[in-house]
Amino acid sequence: MEGRILNDAFIYHTNHSQSFRSSIPQTADPADPSYLIEVDSAEAAKLAKHIKRYKLRSKFDVRLLDEGEWEAWSLWTPPTDRWTPHAIPPDPSAAPTQKYIGCEDTRAPRLGKRIVVQGGSAPEALGKLEETSLDAYTVRRMLYGVPEGQAELLPEVALPLESNIDLMGGIDFQKGCYVGQELTIRTHHTGVVRKRILPVNIYPVGDSVPLALAYDPATKIRDLPPPGTIIVRVGKKGRNIGKWLGGVGNIGLALCRLEVMVEHKDNDKSTPNDVSEEFALEWSDGEVRIKAFVPSWHPQASTLR
């Protein structure tokens, strides 16, 4: 569909990686430009088919990697520490001796680096860091308000600006001639984005509204709401004001209507927004309250609270 997200992906230049060059089929010239696309595994085959559809007479090959052939890692250090650069070449012309490929994860400040290595191995820099769980990475990412994967960025449904793709550096507003460009550019220049994916806290009915975004393993949430659960105003009728996307424990991500779920400020004057108002997620097996927060790194953080 025009203007909708198809895939959430990282694209890596791979010519500098000796390991990756050696894995290229013998029919390909290792000196030719090559790239690895990291994408949600559930959508990988569909994306490969989509790329081949538009190949036409262009001379390039597309190969779907086997599961476990290459693995993605996220590496970060506490924000108080000085980051030691990995041995990722600063430009594609660097000597092709690296064992892995990767890039700075610029979706939000201090996310660290994204590293891709051959299956069964680990980044050399991991020896200086503590290995942790996927849940720990997910919690950290959600606290920054960064959606990832097709469960949070629904294919052919999610809009780029509502999904913060513009804030995460995923849109080139100078590029022309792509499907959905007109809608995306017009929304960007009018500055009217009514909904955004935001980090949220969920909490039991009857608990006090959280004042700050925080992950608390002690918060007792019996079951998480199913993805797609609608956000409603407590004790009020009207249209839905958001949608739950997913979470871990008491934190998660939700698509939120900004004018309702966060307080707007205009010329130091707050809009008439009842900050004590509560919002809920209700489904067949349960109910929880939900509170949205605007990450400090969002450009709108000074006008949204």
Side-chain angles (χ1 to χ4, degrees):
M1 297 179 66
E2 291 190 7
R4 308 281 174 166
I5 293 175
L6 290 179
N7 292 98
D8 170 35
F10 281 85
I11 302 177
Y12 305 96
H13 191 285
T14 60
N15 278 56
H16 65 271
S17 170
Q18 187 177 39
S19 297
F20 191 86
R21 285 160 59 95
S22 64
S23 71
I24 297 176
Q26 296 301 315
T27 54
D29 186 346
D32 290 338
S34 61
Y35 301 88
L36 184 148
I37 301 176
E38 179 195 341
V39 67
D40 191 318
S41 59
E43 297 288 323
K46 185 177 179 180
L47 176 60
K49 182 178 179 180
H50 182 79
I51 293 174
K52 291 177 181 178
R53 181 186 305 167
Y54 292 97
K55 177 181 177 181
L56 302 178
R57 296 184 180 180
S58 300
K59 295 182 179 180
F60 69 88
D61 294 317
V62 178
R63 181 170 74 89
L64 188 63
L65 299 180
D66 295 329
E67 183 176 356
E69 188 175 347
W70 287 79
E71 298 175 343
W73 292 71
S74 177
L75 279 69
W76 68 87
T77 56
T80 54
D81 293 347
R82 182 178 178 83
W83 180 257
T84 302
H86 293 300
I88 299 177
D91 59 73
S93 62
T97 59
Q98 304 305 319
K99 297 180 180 179
Y100 52 82
I101 56 181
C103 66
E104 296 281 351
D105 192 341
T106 59
R107 293 176 295 173
R110 298 185 297 277
L111 273 186
K113 290 182 181 284
R114 198 113 175 151
I115 304 295
V116 182
V117 299
Q118 284 186 298
S121 60
E124 295 175 1
L126 191 60
K128 303 176 183 179
L129 301 172
E130 178 184 352
E131 185 174 349
T132 187
S133 66
L134 178 60
D135 274 354
Y137 164 76
T138 303
V139 166
R140 185 170 184 271
R141 172 176 64 79
M142 288 184 168
L143 287 172
Y144 277 111
V146 175
E148 180 177 287
Q150 305 310 128
E152 298 168 12
L153 298 166
L154 303 179
E156 300 182 17
V157 174
L159 291 168
L161 275 64
E162 291 184 353
S163 304
N164 303 327
I165 303 300
D166 55 330
L167 305 183
M168 297 189 293
I171 301 176
D172 183 355
F173 290 105
Q174 304 303 314
K175 176 177 173 54
C177 301
Y178 61 87
V179 177
Q181 178 205 13
E182 182 180 351
L183 173 62
T184 303
I185 293 294
R186 184 171 64 248
T187 305
H188 170 67
H189 286 298
T190 59
V192 180
V193 182
R194 302 189 185 281
K195 292 182 286 185
R196 288 271 187 190
I197 291 179
L198 297 177
V200 296
N201 268 139
I202 57 175
Y203 56 100
V205 176
D207 282 11
S208 57
V209 179
L211 301 178
L213 180 68
Y215 173 63
D216 182 5
T219 301
K220 298 186 182 302
I221 304 294
R222 189 184 68 178
D223 295 304
L224 288 176
T229 299
I230 298 302
I231 302 172
V232 298
R233 286 171 153 168
V234 174
K236 294 183 180 180
K237 296 182 180 180
R239 63 178 177 175
N240 69 72
I241 54 173
K243 181 190 305 181
W244 169 260
L245 299 173
V248 177
N250 73 316
I251 63 108
L253 294 175
L255 181 64
C256 304
R257 188 170 293 277
L258 300 177
E259 64 182 358
V260 178
M261 294 196 67
V262 296
E263 183 182 5
H264 285 246
K265 294 182 65 180
D266 184 14
N267 296 326
D268 295 327
K269 294 182 180 180
S270 297
T271 60
N273 184 16
D274 184 2
V275 295
S276 64
E277 183 177 10
E278 285 194 281
F279 307 95
L281 292 163
E282 301 173 348
W283 66 104
S284 59
D285 295 327
E287 177 184 353
V288 293
R289 299 292 190 256
I290 181 170
K291 170 68 176 177
F293 296 88
V294 180
S296 60
W297 62 272
H298 276 209
Q300 300 97 329
S302 60
T303 57
L304 299 173
R305 296 193 299 183

